[in-house]
């Protein structure tokens, strides 16, 4: 912006650059306040409060929204994340393999699962797999299905992240390990992957935040009351009570986890940036 | 060599009544695509011998060294270390590499491990030593390179010279029969070169078989039993340092030495380390 301003001829307008910047900032504040005033005047506050912020209704959500819904959300997310991490590491190593077919399979997996909506994968795991393999049960019931669906979704992203992390490790590390007598596999396990994981912890934590939100897709698998997570729980209670307050509280529960996690990611990124300097 | 090691394979060679050369390179060729980098190298290094390889940048010195422990796969020819053929298709390359220590220009310490762990982890993972034994050998070898007080430090907190000495100690802790050095002082600030060369001198005095790619002419002159001058993928001349450096027979050698020994010209040369000031 200042580049554009500097390019103009300040003499012509008779304004200093500082004055122009102050004017521009003033205009932006004006727009901001205008929008706030418009929303404030046009929204029906009474109805909004009635619909979204009924305190007695909100109180009735506890403790179930924490002990069942939030707990399940966390469980679904973590099991999906762990499965995705293991699968992602495997696919990353296949992608870097010297064996052609491994590379191709990994490449196809990544392209396919990055290109599909998570919802479609949930439906696939919930409906298509039981139909295609009758009699075979995904172990762990709903928990197993959710872990599988979230794992399949996140493995593609994690594989690409981990592959980039491995490739960021200087070639000299592998050469030093090999020259000491490490096999390729041992060198990967003892020397390369531990270093790569330090690089990829911030992006993987980011993926955890995304998964946390994607766990809401359990909605489409059909779950029992005890298996409900935040979104399903909020939606069910909203329709039971004909009021949207449970949705708002469920949303706050998400933020309770995602905001601190986002803070941690930024801290980790800052530390990683410092370490590589 | 001393008892800082214990590769079981070494016994075969020491038991041999008339040991052959420790390193034997026969008609070694190496190409990268169309780039024919090594064009028929023949080289013998006896047990306990120190051989310095000199030559202009790009002449194939590093490639030769890397072929001796198979970090590069030769395109043709044979390489023997301690009597076993590395280039044989059935060879267990990891077992052979344990007997060959390598020191790199860029140190290549493992940055996520402490100095002690840098020395101990390879012993445990590769040689199967237990934690206590690996720690003991690590401590001994850190002592040897004068860095016992840095045992708990991480590589990033060390100077380049200290990192390179740790790298040497890490290789020694595996108990190698042979040490390969690829321009070990070229990445160092001039004032740190001496400490690393002192450690290498000590190794030479202890009777280690060493193959050293270097631009440190004073080191080559004083420590090497033999100097090999390479240019354009071939060995142009080799012999005692007094002959090759003091009185070279070939024009290419003279030309190279003139540039290396003349500081003004040397600074123009890309990647050239600080130069020996003596006449
Ligand atoms: N991994 C590689 N791939 C392709 N070319 C290489 C590789 N390593 C070395 N070379 C080429 O081989 C030649 C010799 O390199 P090198 O052995 O490093 O020379 P020196 O160590 O004497 O400077 C150079 O032309 C270099 O570009
Ligand atoms: Mg080189």
């Amino acid at each position: 912006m200042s580049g554009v301003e500097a390019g103009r001829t300040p003499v012509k307008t008779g304004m200093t650059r500082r004055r122009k910047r102050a004017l521009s900032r003033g205009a932006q504040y004006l727009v901001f306040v205008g929008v706030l005033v418009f929303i404030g005047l046009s929204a029906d506050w009474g109805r909004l409060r009635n619909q979204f912020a009924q305190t007695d209704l909100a109180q009735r959500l506890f403790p179930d929204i924490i002990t069942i819904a939030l707990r399940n959300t966390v469980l679904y997310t973590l099991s999906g994340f762990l499965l995705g991490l293991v699968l992602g590491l495997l696919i990353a190593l296949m992608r870097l393999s010297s064996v052609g077919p491994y590379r191709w399979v990994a490449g196809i997996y990544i392209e396919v699962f990055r290109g599909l909506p998570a919802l479609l994968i949930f439906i696939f795991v919930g409906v298509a797999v039981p139909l295609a393999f009758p009699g075979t049960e995904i172990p762990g019931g709903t928990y197993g299905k959710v872990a599988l669906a979230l794992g399949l979704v996140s493995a593609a992203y994690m594989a690409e992240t981990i592959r980039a992390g491995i490739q960021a490790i200087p070639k000299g590390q592998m050469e030093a390990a090999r020259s000491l007598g490490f096999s390729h596999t041992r060198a990967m396990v003892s020397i390369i992957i531990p270093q790569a994981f330090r690089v990829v912890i911030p992006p993987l934590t980011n993926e955890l935040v995304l998964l946390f939100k994607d766990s809401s897709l359990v909605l489409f698998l059909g779950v029992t009351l005890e298996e409900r997570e935040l979104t399903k729980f909020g939606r069910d209670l909203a329709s039971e009570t004909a009021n949207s307050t449970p949705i708002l509280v469920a949303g706050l529960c998400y933020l309770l986890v995602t905001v601190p996690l986002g803070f941690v990611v930024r801290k980790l990124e800052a530390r990683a940036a410092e370490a590589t300097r | 060599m001393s008892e800082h090691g214990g590769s079981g394979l070494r016994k075969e060679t020491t038991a041999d009544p008339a040991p052959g050369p420790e390193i034997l390179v026969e008609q070694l060729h190496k190409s990268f695509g169309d780039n024919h980098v090594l064009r028929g190298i023949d080289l013998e290094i006896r047990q306990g011998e120190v051989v310095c390889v000199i030559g202009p940048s790009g002449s194939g010195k590093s490639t030769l060294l890397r072929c001796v422990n198979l970090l590069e796969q030769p395109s043709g020819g044979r390489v023997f270390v301690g009597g076993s053929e590395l280039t044989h298709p059935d060879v267990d390359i990891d077992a052979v590499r344990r007997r060959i220590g390598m020191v790199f220009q860029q140190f290549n310490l493992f940055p996520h491990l402490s100095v002690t762990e840098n020395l101990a982890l390879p012993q445990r993972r590769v040689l199967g030593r237990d934690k206590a034994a690996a720690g003991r050998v690590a401590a001994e070898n850190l002592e040897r390179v004068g860095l016992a007080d840095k045992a708990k430090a991480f590589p990033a907190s060390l100077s380049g010279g200290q990192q390179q000495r740790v790298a040497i100690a890490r290789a020694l802790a595996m108990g190698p029969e042979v040490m390969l050095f690829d321009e070990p002082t070229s990445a160092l600030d001039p004032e740190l070169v001496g400490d690393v060369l002192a450690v290498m001198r000590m190794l030479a005095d202890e009777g280690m078989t060493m193959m050293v790619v270097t631009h440190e002419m004073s080191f080559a002159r004083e420590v090497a039993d033999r100097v090999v001058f390479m240019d354009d993928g071939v060995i142009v001349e080799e012999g005692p340092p007094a002959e090759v450096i003091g009185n070279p027979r070939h024009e290419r050698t003279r030309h190279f030495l003139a540039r290396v020994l003349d500081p003004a010209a040397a600074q123009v040369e890309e990647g050239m380390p600080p130069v020996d000031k003596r006449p």
Side-chain angles (χ1 to χ4, degrees), chain A:
Chain A
M1 206 172 148
S2 62
V4 175
E5 284 171 86
R8 290 207 199 122
T9 47
V11 192
K12 211 172 173 183
T13 60
M15 273 199 289
T16 65
R17 201 172 336 149
R18 176 200 289 240
R19 185 161 162 66
K20 272 209 262 175
R21 211 176 300 157
L23 262 180
S24 149
R25 198 174 315 131
Q28 290 178 45
Y29 275 123
L30 211 63
V31 171
F32 182 67
V33 171
V35 170
L36 281 189
V37 167
F38 176 79
I39 292 175
L41 291 180
S42 61
D44 183 339
W45 288 103
R47 261 191 44 206
L48 269 179
R49 187 174 325 109
N50 230 358
Q51 193 60 26
F52 283 102
Q54 290 214 354
T55 40
D56 57 326
L57 216 168
Q59 273 164 9
R60 272 201 281 137
L61 297 172
F62 292 88
D64 282 5
I65 195 165
I66 303 293
T67 56
I68 295 177
L70 181 59
R71 175 178 157 273
N72 278 336
T73 294
V74 168
L75 277 180
Y76 291 146
T77 307
L78 286 184
S79 52
F81 184 79
L82 285 181
L83 191 70
L85 191 61
V86 172
L87 200 58
L89 179 59
L90 185 76
I91 293 167
L93 292 176
M94 283 172 70
R95 194 92 179 90
L96 295 169
S97 165
S98 54
V99 182
Y102 282 175
R103 283 201 308 276
W104 306 328
V105 168
I108 291 169
Y109 180 95
I110 290 167
E111 288 312 320
V112 166
F113 281 86
R114 269 202 317 196
L116 290 177
L119 174 54
L120 216 66
I121 296 168
F122 268 84
I123 294 172
F124 176 77
V125 169
V127 180
V129 170
L131 276 183
F133 305 97
T136 59
E137 266 291 307
I138 296 171
T142 305
Y143 290 95
K145 281 188 204 163
V146 178
L148 183 61
L150 286 180
L152 289 174
V153 173
S154 58
Y157 288 94
M158 294 211 231
E160 281 297 86
T161 307
I162 294 169
R163 180 191 56 77
I166 289 174
Q167 285 182 325
I169 305 305
K171 246 179 71 194
Q173 292 290 307
M174 178 56 92
E175 290 184 348
R178 294 309 300 271
S179 78
L180 289 161
F182 282 81
S183 68
H184 181 85
T185 309
R186 262 187 201 285
M188 268 290 173
V189 171
S190 302
I191 306 295
I192 307 297
I193 291 176
Q195 290 185 56
F197 262 96
R198 302 182 146 209
V199 181
V200 300
I201 280 175
L204 287 190
T205 312
N206 237 340
E207 178 63 19
L208 185 64
V209 173
L210 294 180
L211 276 187
F212 195 71
K213 296 186 289 174
D214 278 347
S215 65
S216 61
L217 296 169
V218 178
L219 200 61
F220 295 91
L221 283 182
V223 292
T224 67
L225 287 182
E226 288 299 306
E227 291 166 351
R228 286 183 298 184
E229 44 63 68
L230 280 172
T231 300
K232 171 88 170 137
F233 184 89
R235 215 177 76 139
D236 284 359
L237 269 92
S239 59
E240 268 172 40
T241 59
N243 187 284
S244 302
T245 304
I247 305 262
L248 185 84
V249 179
L252 290 176
C253 285
Y254 278 107
L255 294 179
L256 201 69
V257 174
T258 54
V259 170
L261 263 183
F263 182 76
V264 169
V265 171
R266 280 189 299 280
K267 274 266 183 255
L268 288 172
E269 278 170 348
R271 197 193 298 172
E274 206 166 302
T276 51
R277 256 189 312 159

Side-chain angles (χ1 to χ4, degrees), chain A residues 171, chain B residues 32 35 37 56-64 72 182-183:
Chain A
K171 246 179 71 194
Chain B
F32 294 105
N35 190 2
V37 173
S57 174
S59 57
K61 307 180 297 294
S62 298
T63 305
L64 170 60
E72 300 290 356
D182 192 0
E183 299 198 35

Side-chain angles (χ1 to χ4, degrees), chain A residues 171-184 186 190-192 194-195 198, chain B residues 66 69 71 94 97-98 100 102 104 108-112 121-122 125-126 170-171 174:
Chain A
K171 246 179 71 194
Q173 292 290 307
M174 178 56 92
E175 290 184 348
R178 294 309 300 271
S179 78
L180 289 161
F182 282 81
S183 68
H184 181 85
R186 262 187 201 285
S190 302
I191 306 295
I192 307 297
Q195 290 185 56
R198 302 182 146 209
Chain B
R66 293 159 61 85
N69 73 351
L71 279 181
D94 299 325
R97 284 208 187 103
R98 282 169 220 164
I100 309 171
M102 176 129 182
F104 300 86
N108 295 347
L109 292 181
F110 305 133
H112 61 305
L121 186 77
R125 292 283 183 277
V126 175
R170 179 177 69 179
M174 304 299 282

